[in-house]
PDB file of all heavy atoms in Angstrom:
ATOM      1  N   SER Q 342       5.778  15.677   5.365  1.00 82.00           N
ATOM      2  CA  SER Q 342       6.926  16.540   5.258  1.00 82.00           C
ATOM      3  C   SER Q 342       6.524  17.999   5.782  1.00 82.00           C
ATOM      4  O   SER Q 342       5.433  18.474   5.460  1.00 82.00           O
ATOM      5  CB  SER Q 342       7.191  16.658   3.770  1.00 82.00           C
ATOM      6  OG  SER Q 342       7.732  15.447   3.209  1.00 82.00           O
ATOM      7  N   VAL Q 343       7.322  18.535   6.590  1.00 82.00           N
ATOM      8  CA  VAL Q 343       7.040  19.858   7.163  1.00 82.00           C
ATOM      9  C   VAL Q 343       8.123  20.835   6.582  1.00 82.00           C
ATOM     10  O   VAL Q 343       9.289  20.612   6.656  1.00 82.00           O
ATOM     11  CB  VAL Q 343       7.161  19.822   8.706  1.00 82.00           C
ATOM     12  CG1 VAL Q 343       6.999  21.241   9.302  1.00 82.00           C
ATOM     13  CG2 VAL Q 343       6.179  18.851   9.319  1.00 82.00           C
ATOM     14  N   TYR Q 344       7.545  21.841   5.992  1.00 85.00           N
ATOM     15  CA  TYR Q 344       8.354  22.920   5.288  1.00 85.00           C
ATOM     16  C   TYR Q 344       8.313  24.139   6.129  1.00 85.00           C
ATOM     17  O   TYR Q 344       7.290  24.708   6.383  1.00 85.00           O
ATOM     18  CB  TYR Q 344       7.781  23.135   3.846  1.00 85.00           C
ATOM     19  CG  TYR Q 344       7.716  21.969   2.931  1.00 85.00           C
ATOM     20  CD1 TYR Q 344       6.524  21.280   2.904  1.00 85.00           C
ATOM     21  CD2 TYR Q 344       8.817  21.403   2.331  1.00 85.00           C
ATOM     22  CE1 TYR Q 344       6.399  20.194   2.176  1.00 85.00           C
ATOM     23  CE2 TYR Q 344       8.690  20.377   1.581  1.00 85.00           C
ATOM     24  CZ  TYR Q 344       7.575  19.663   1.484  1.00 85.00           C
ATOM     25  OH  TYR Q 344       7.504  18.539   0.764  1.00 85.00           O
ATOM     26  N   SER Q 345       9.473  24.511   6.571  1.00 82.00           N
ATOM     27  CA  SER Q 345       9.617  25.631   7.484  1.00 82.00           C
ATOM     28  C   SER Q 345      10.898  26.378   7.332  1.00 82.00           C
ATOM     29  O   SER Q 345      11.948  25.710   6.919  1.00 82.00           O
ATOM     30  CB  SER Q 345       9.365  25.163   8.883  1.00 82.00           C
ATOM     31  OG  SER Q 345       9.658  26.116   9.855  1.00 82.00           O
ATOM     32  N   ALA Q 346      10.988  27.573   7.818  1.00 81.00           N
ATOM     33  CA  ALA Q 346      12.156  28.328   7.806  1.00 81.00           C
ATOM     34  C   ALA Q 346      12.981  28.118   9.050  1.00 81.00           C
ATOM     35  O   ALA Q 346      14.133  28.486   9.291  1.00 81.00           O
ATOM     36  CB  ALA Q 346      11.990  29.834   7.516  1.00 81.00           C
ATOM     37  N   SER Q 347      12.274  27.616  10.116  1.00 74.00           N
ATOM     38  CA  SER Q 347      12.893  27.434  11.408  1.00 74.00           C
ATOM     39  C   SER Q 347      13.921  26.342  11.350  1.00 74.00           C
ATOM     40  O   SER Q 347      13.691  25.421  10.568  1.00 74.00           O
ATOM     41  CB  SER Q 347      11.907  27.199  12.477  1.00 74.00           C
ATOM     42  OG  SER Q 347      11.069  28.270  12.655  1.00 74.00           O
ATOM     43  N   GLY Q 348      14.933  26.314  12.225  1.00 62.00           N
ATOM     44  CA  GLY Q 348      15.806  25.266  12.304  1.00 62.00           C
ATOM     45  C   GLY Q 348      15.195  24.040  12.767  1.00 62.00           C
ATOM     46  O   GLY Q 348      14.246  24.114  13.500  1.00 62.00           O
ATOM     47  N   ASP Q 349      15.734  22.865  12.432  1.00 57.00           N
ATOM     48  CA  ASP Q 349      15.193  21.549  12.850  1.00 57.00           C
ATOM     49  C   ASP Q 349      15.286  21.514  14.356  1.00 57.00           C
ATOM     50  O   ASP Q 349      16.394  21.622  14.836  1.00 57.00           O
ATOM     51  CB  ASP Q 349      15.942  20.449  12.111  1.00 57.00           C
ATOM     52  CG  ASP Q 349      15.323  19.104  12.506  1.00 57.00           C
ATOM     53  OD1 ASP Q 349      14.312  18.960  13.117  1.00 57.00           O
ATOM     54  OD2 ASP Q 349      15.873  18.089  12.006  1.00 57.00           O
ATOM     55  N   LYS Q 350      14.244  21.213  15.040  1.00 60.00           N
ATOM     56  CA  LYS Q 350      14.199  21.246  16.492  1.00 60.00           C
ATOM     57  C   LYS Q 350      14.000  19.747  17.052  1.00 60.00           C
ATOM     58  O   LYS Q 350      13.429  19.644  18.034  1.00 60.00           O
ATOM     59  CB  LYS Q 350      13.167  22.208  17.086  1.00 60.00           C
ATOM     60  CG  LYS Q 350      13.305  23.508  16.584  1.00 60.00           C
ATOM     61  CD  LYS Q 350      14.545  24.172  17.212  1.00 60.00           C
ATOM     62  CE  LYS Q 350      14.506  25.683  16.721  1.00 60.00           C
ATOM     63  NZ  LYS Q 350      15.476  26.528  17.371  1.00 60.00           N
ATOM     64  N   GLY Q 351      14.531  18.784  16.387  1.00 58.00           N
ATOM     65  CA  GLY Q 351      14.482  17.481  16.928  1.00 58.00           C
ATOM     66  C   GLY Q 351      13.351  16.528  16.540  1.00 58.00           C
ATOM     67  O   GLY Q 351      13.127  15.451  17.065  1.00 58.00           O
ATOM     68  N   TYR Q 352      12.478  16.965  15.612  1.00 56.00           N
ATOM     69  CA  TYR Q 352      11.474  16.036  15.163  1.00 56.00           C
ATOM     70  C   TYR Q 352      12.089  14.965  14.337  1.00 56.00           C
ATOM     71  O   TYR Q 352      13.118  15.231  13.714  1.00 56.00           O
ATOM     72  CB  TYR Q 352      10.369  16.770  14.312  1.00 56.00           C
ATOM     73  CG  TYR Q 352       9.456  17.628  15.194  1.00 56.00           C
ATOM     74  CD1 TYR Q 352       9.323  19.113  14.977  1.00 56.00           C
ATOM     75  CD2 TYR Q 352       8.630  17.112  16.165  1.00 56.00           C
ATOM     76  CE1 TYR Q 352       8.507  19.817  15.740  1.00 56.00           C
ATOM     77  CE2 TYR Q 352       7.800  17.844  16.861  1.00 56.00           C
ATOM     78  CZ  TYR Q 352       7.714  19.197  16.634  1.00 56.00           C
ATOM     79  OH  TYR Q 352       6.932  19.967  17.425  1.00 56.00           O
ATOM     80  N   PRO Q 353      11.532  13.753  14.377  1.00 53.00           N
ATOM     81  CA  PRO Q 353      12.132  12.579  13.912  1.00 53.00           C
ATOM     82  C   PRO Q 353      12.455  12.556  12.426  1.00 53.00           C
ATOM     83  O   PRO Q 353      13.361  12.077  11.922  1.00 53.00           O
ATOM     84  CB  PRO Q 353      11.338  11.389  14.384  1.00 53.00           C
ATOM     85  CG  PRO Q 353      10.029  11.912  14.547  1.00 53.00           C
ATOM     86  CD  PRO Q 353      10.231  13.443  14.944  1.00 53.00           C
ATOM     87  N   GLU Q 354      11.345  13.005  11.616  1.00 60.00           N
ATOM     88  CA  GLU Q 354      11.581  12.898  10.146  1.00 60.00           C
ATOM     89  C   GLU Q 354      10.643  13.906   9.448  1.00 60.00           C
ATOM     90  O   GLU Q 354       9.844  14.489  10.173  1.00 60.00           O
ATOM     91  CB  GLU Q 354      11.186  11.573   9.718  1.00 60.00           C
ATOM     92  CG  GLU Q 354       9.753  11.175   9.813  1.00 60.00           C
ATOM     93  CD  GLU Q 354       9.540   9.742   9.252  1.00 60.00           C
ATOM     94  OE1 GLU Q 354       9.944   8.757   9.745  1.00 60.00           O
ATOM     95  OE2 GLU Q 354       8.882   9.756   8.149  1.00 60.00           O
ATOM     96  N   GLY Q 355      10.903  14.133   8.270  1.00 68.00           N
ATOM     97  CA  GLY Q 355       9.978  14.963   7.466  1.00 68.00           C
ATOM     98  C   GLY Q 355      10.229  16.491   7.370  1.00 68.00           C
ATOM     99  O   GLY Q 355       9.593  17.227   6.754  1.00 68.00           O
ATOM    100  N   TYR Q 356      11.205  16.944   8.198  1.00 75.00           N
ATOM    101  CA  TYR Q 356      11.496  18.343   8.210  1.00 75.00           C
ATOM    102  C   TYR Q 356      12.286  18.749   6.914  1.00 75.00           C
ATOM    103  O   TYR Q 356      13.288  18.104   6.615  1.00 75.00           O
ATOM    104  CB  TYR Q 356      12.333  18.769   9.488  1.00 75.00           C
ATOM    105  CG  TYR Q 356      12.879  20.199   9.404  1.00 75.00           C
ATOM    106  CD1 TYR Q 356      12.143  21.195   9.779  1.00 75.00           C
ATOM    107  CD2 TYR Q 356      14.180  20.369   9.057  1.00 75.00           C
ATOM    108  CE1 TYR Q 356      12.615  22.532   9.602  1.00 75.00           C
ATOM    109  CE2 TYR Q 356      14.709  21.596   8.978  1.00 75.00           C
ATOM    110  CZ  TYR Q 356      13.889  22.683   9.279  1.00 75.00           C
ATOM    111  OH  TYR Q 356      14.431  23.968   9.154  1.00 75.00           O
ATOM    112  N   LYS Q 357      11.895  19.836   6.242  1.00 80.00           N
ATOM    113  CA  LYS Q 357      12.531  20.244   5.062  1.00 80.00           C
ATOM    114  C   LYS Q 357      12.618  21.708   4.992  1.00 80.00           C
ATOM    115  O   LYS Q 357      11.650  22.438   5.298  1.00 80.00           O
ATOM    116  CB  LYS Q 357      11.895  19.718   3.811  1.00 80.00           C
ATOM    117  CG  LYS Q 357      11.866  18.217   3.694  1.00 80.00           C
ATOM    118  CD  LYS Q 357      11.278  17.630   2.451  1.00 80.00           C
ATOM    119  CE  LYS Q 357      11.373  16.159   2.394  1.00 80.00           C
ATOM    120  NZ  LYS Q 357      10.798  15.675   1.254  1.00 80.00           N
ATOM    121  N   THR Q 358      13.846  22.244   4.599  1.00 82.00           N
ATOM    122  CA  THR Q 358      14.036  23.666   4.329  1.00 82.00           C
ATOM    123  C   THR Q 358      15.075  23.773   3.133  1.00 82.00           C
ATOM    124  O   THR Q 358      15.417  22.723   2.631  1.00 82.00           O
ATOM    125  CB  THR Q 358      14.407  24.473   5.574  1.00 82.00           C
ATOM    126  OG1 THR Q 358      14.269  25.891   5.226  1.00 82.00           O
ATOM    127  CG2 THR Q 358      15.804  24.178   6.073  1.00 82.00           C
ATOM    128  N   ASN Q 359      15.437  24.971   2.901  1.00 86.00           N
ATOM    129  CA  ASN Q 359      16.507  25.103   1.909  1.00 86.00           C
ATOM    130  C   ASN Q 359      17.338  26.318   2.294  1.00 86.00           C
ATOM    131  O   ASN Q 359      17.232  26.820   3.412  1.00 86.00           O
ATOM    132  CB  ASN Q 359      15.909  25.354   0.479  1.00 86.00           C
ATOM    133  CG  ASN Q 359      15.006  26.559   0.445  1.00 86.00           C
ATOM    134  OD1 ASN Q 359      14.836  27.346   1.340  1.00 86.00           O
ATOM    135  ND2 ASN Q 359      14.261  26.663  -0.656  1.00 86.00           N
ATOM    136  N   ILE Q 360      18.264  26.751   1.339  1.00 89.00           N
ATOM    137  CA  ILE Q 360      19.169  27.872   1.694  1.00 89.00           C
ATOM    138  C   ILE Q 360      18.416  29.169   2.073  1.00 89.00           C
ATOM    139  O   ILE Q 360      18.797  29.831   2.946  1.00 89.00           O
ATOM    140  CB  ILE Q 360      20.289  28.040   0.619  1.00 89.00           C
ATOM    141  CG1 ILE Q 360      21.336  28.889   1.108  1.00 89.00           C
ATOM    142  CG2 ILE Q 360      19.652  28.577  -0.663  1.00 89.00           C
ATOM    143  CD1 ILE Q 360      22.266  28.284   2.039  1.00 89.00           C
ATOM    144  N   TYR Q 361      17.313  29.323   1.346  1.00 91.00           N
ATOM    145  CA  TYR Q 361      16.398  30.570   1.633  1.00 91.00           C
ATOM    146  C   TYR Q 361      15.889  30.526   3.050  1.00 91.00           C
ATOM    147  O   TYR Q 361      15.884  31.446   3.759  1.00 91.00           O
ATOM    148  CB  TYR Q 361      15.460  30.858   0.540  1.00 91.00           C
ATOM    149  CG  TYR Q 361      14.616  32.069   0.835  1.00 91.00           C
ATOM    150  CD1 TYR Q 361      15.239  33.378   0.698  1.00 91.00           C
ATOM    151  CD2 TYR Q 361      13.288  32.027   1.176  1.00 91.00           C
ATOM    152  CE1 TYR Q 361      14.457  34.406   1.049  1.00 91.00           C
ATOM    153  CE2 TYR Q 361      12.545  33.151   1.436  1.00 91.00           C
ATOM    154  CZ  TYR Q 361      13.142  34.449   1.260  1.00 91.00           C
ATOM    155  OH  TYR Q 361      12.396  35.504   1.568  1.00 91.00           O
ATOM    156  N   GLY Q 362      15.422  29.314   3.474  1.00 87.00           N
ATOM    157  CA  GLY Q 362      14.800  29.131   4.724  1.00 87.00           C
ATOM    158  C   GLY Q 362      15.870  29.297   5.823  1.00 87.00           C
ATOM    159  O   GLY Q 362      15.596  29.913   6.855  1.00 87.00           O
ATOM    160  N   LYS Q 363      17.049  28.853   5.496  1.00 87.00           N
ATOM    161  CA  LYS Q 363      18.143  28.984   6.554  1.00 87.00           C
ATOM    162  C   LYS Q 363      18.538  30.521   6.618  1.00 87.00           C
ATOM    163  O   LYS Q 363      18.944  30.936   7.668  1.00 87.00           O
ATOM    164  CB  LYS Q 363      19.415  28.163   6.117  1.00 87.00           C
ATOM    165  CG  LYS Q 363      19.134  26.720   6.330  1.00 87.00           C
ATOM    166  CD  LYS Q 363      20.302  25.825   5.909  1.00 87.00           C
ATOM    167  CE  LYS Q 363      19.936  24.338   5.975  1.00 87.00           C
ATOM    168  NZ  LYS Q 363      20.998  23.461   5.581  1.00 87.00           N
TER     169      LYS Q 363
END
Side-chain angles (χ1 to χ4, degrees):
S342 297
V343 178
Y344 304 95
S345 171
S347 295
D349 185 6
K350 303 290 182 168
Y352 285 119
E354 67 176 74
Y356 168 79
K357 295 184 180 181
T358 193
N359 59 9
I360 192 74
Y361 181 66
K363 290 177 183 180

